[in-house]
Amino acid sequence: MRASIFARGVWRRHRRDRLITGAAIAATLTASGFGAAWSQERPTIAPEDYGRWENLGRAALSPDGAWLAYGVEMVDEQAELRIRSLERDSMRSVPWGRNPAFAPDGRWLAWAVGVSPDEEERLQKAEEPVRLGVGLLDLASGEERSFEEVRGFGFDSSARFLALHGYAPEEPKGKGADLRVVDLAEGTTTTFGNVAEFAWSDSASLLALAVSTGGEEGNGVQVYDADSGRIRSLGTSGSAYRQLAWREGGADLAVLRSREPASEEDATAHDALAWRGLDGEEPSEFALTAGAAGLADSLEVVRHAAPRWSDDGRLIAIGLRPAEPEEEPEDDEGTEEDAGERTDTEGESPEDAEGDAPQDSTAAEDDEPELPGLQIWHSSDRRIFARQQASQDSDERRTLLSVWHLDEARVVQIGTDQRASAQLLEGWTRAIEQTQEPYAWGEMFGRPYSDTWVVDVGTGEREQVLERVRYNWTSAGGRWLVAFDGSNYTSLDLQTGARYDLTSELPTVFADTAYDTPTDVLPPHGFGPGGWLENDEAVFLYDEHDIWRVSPDGSGATRLTRGLEEDITHRIVREFDPSRGEFRTLGDDDDEPGFDPAQPIYLSLYGERTEKRGYARLVPATDDAVGGQGDESSIERLVYEDKRISGLTKADSADVYMFNVQAFDDPPDLFVAGPDLSDARQVTDINPFISEYAWGRAELVDFVSEGGRDLQAVLLYPASYSPGERVPMIVYTYEMLSPQIHFFSAPNERRYYNFTAWTQQGYAVLLPDIVYRARDPGISALESVRAAVARIVELGVADADRVGLIGHSWGGYQATFLPTRTDIFAASVAGAPLTDFVSFMGAIHWNPGVPEVDHWETGQARMEVPFWDDPEAHRRNSPIHMVHEMETPLLMAFGNEDGVVDWDQGTEFYNFARRAGKQMVLLVYEGEDHGFRQEANQVDYHRRILEWFGHYLKGEPAPDWITEGIPLDELEDEARRVATKQGG
């Protein structure tokens, strides 16, 4: 294995005394007692000092790998963009900069410029718009420019021009904004007015503009050639033009044009327009309008799906929806003759009508009754009414995938169900549609299945090829379908129709048998294949630790890695290419779908029992392009450390790689290196002042649950811990938490469950792993957590009489359940917990409008069956059924607009606890959802947690809200007390 990158003096100098020593030296110092003295020389962090701490934000490498731009956000809400040369020691900071974007040649950097939170609040109070600007830096000269009022920007492919799109006026509605095109070399600017959308071609400096005047004249599409200065109008009308789409690698453009005037904002029907050869003098023009071959009268092109070009420019994908019904013309109010007849018939003079009540003639004619505010919920609803409401906007944007054949002037419809999933396969000769329509019960109750149909893009002919499957994927080249049945993979050759068994004879297990959620079909490891070789030569499949290269016809398979022997999980590193809408191998620059067999494939490494992480690469071998014989020489381990190493990425046009390194006691920083990741250099400096303060450390602890499971927990030591000292401990619960051992967390009162803040307050923090059994989530948690606490007490770290429990949502359930079943906790805090296993099974997640039932049986609750099938399981795992046995003081917090766990779960438990005479406080934060968003509420909750544990775990005096409660007329003073509390 390569030497540690952390032992080469690459860390900044002021950290060297803390990190370069290594784990062995640190352990020696701690055991000798020197570590305690070393820690105590530094103060802990006071809450009033939290504001200076930094968090690393989004980062971008320049295409040539010479520059880095990254965001930094401080706890006090200050923010800046830092720009660094990787070739010389220079740094530039830009206040409120964000979203950095380099020009394709790496010479220029642009970024959005925001405003401070105080300024944003001032503008909002004044009902003034909050508008961004853009900064532009010439990386060669250091010259910086700024532009005001820019809501979007983009470089052209030649990196010679920058488009800056402004803000449209509020009136008239639909009017576009000014668009400025900056010539970066000359510094000149060309401005276009009334631009609603813009898009650069990736093959030339061609800029497409959708023009919208806000009226019904002068709208259209234009193409500006920034090189020549020529502007070409492609058409004008009173319609609205939307969804500009260039063909990748070509000068071909498509757009949608509304059939109704632009003023008709709710109109849905559109025509599709396209031009080929816009870099020439006589481009070809195409139009898809109503009545086109293959376009049914009942369907219309709509704006919700942007056009997409095939690679060869012959086809365009569009979205169709059922046509909106035309409104019936209003009935005539009647002819004069009719009116006369009615008058004669009624024979009523004005004098006769004087005694009658006044009548609204319009209302009388329309006779439209007032409609009730009504919802109709039916037990056979596939999607309940609340789900339909929550998804109404997205439902209205769903379309039926179709393909426009430009040269043949016809449309082939691919999708038949707006709620189904349809996609074009590579090459666009075939497409697939997957529908759950035949499996309503499974969709409704957490056992989803689907059928897969293959569609001929040329003819529209359809064939069902898979029936009732849970997991299936298409190949990169579009020839194969691969499915997983809970045990093994099979493949289907879409060219020949042949089916193959891929894995049943291989000496390994591809199903994730450790998956502890009830299911009728186990998922595969990695939740599916890791990718394909070019030309669909092979598919990469995962078992628990290793990667297998498997021929799609089942003719051969090779294990490429040796993770089983070292208990290290290997997975392929893929990065998403937004321009193509697909994942590709890291550093693969060719246009072929799938992994290039001539290029190394980067792999992530993860030791589940050690929590080490890193990267390796699979290098081509002479006898097999991907080291197919699987010998260890084809796997080169690059970096593997007891840190969290993540985010490997590559500069677009240079062999410069970047990754992130962090640990509990080390802020995240970025490193750059060459292809073998050797001699990595640290290039950011987040929280350089950390060495000024005492800090805790993280340790992985093995324990055995009461059910006999070998598990692990993360133990975070207090910042001022002395070896042998027993300290108060906070136990935070959820599910598997050991992977969090290397997460750095800046102290922050707004993050109310802040482990660093707790360790700075003198608490040890324990994060135990919990593995669940079906129908016994509470009992499983009890068996795990109680054993983990006992282990830490046995190690001499925790004081058994001063252990607190805390969790949120599912962890909040555990923080409510455990105190009703055990008395080992001195206090507990439960945020937004579910408390009643019968009522919550029937609850609704109001935010997405989803019934709890499927999540209850086959999701996180793991109850497997409804309560009437196993009422005893629901009773023994329900906190509320044993509330009268609770001896642990409980603090519970809810937002009264919680859309995930209805806060009735809190009030119900509160009422029961109150009747049972138990010590409980319920905090209700007004206007808050499942996670609190308002700063005042976040800080208040954080501080009350510390007061709660401070009293019950440290013996600090209890404020009145803990011991007596606060009456309504004193609530404002109590809130002010906590808000202005010195030192948090």
Side-chain angles (χ1 to χ4, degrees), residues 413-430:
Q413 183 180 333
I414 306 299
T416 59
D417 180 353
Q418 288 174 220
R419 296 189 58 239
S421 171
Q423 68 176 100
L424 289 157
L425 303 185
E426 180 66 24
W428 287 37
T429 59
R430 285 184 290 267

Side-chain angles (χ1 to χ4, degrees), residues 247-292:
R247 180 170 70 88
E248 183 179 355
D252 305 340
L253 178 69
V255 69
L256 302 182
R257 180 186 65 195
S258 66
R259 291 181 185 168
E260 299 296 329
S263 58
E264 299 290 334
E265 296 181 11
D266 296 331
T268 58
H270 285 66
D271 296 326
L273 309 178
W275 298 266
R276 289 198 299 227
L278 286 170
D279 53 353
E281 291 300 320
E282 297 183 5
S284 303
E285 182 174 354
F286 305 86
L288 177 64
T289 60

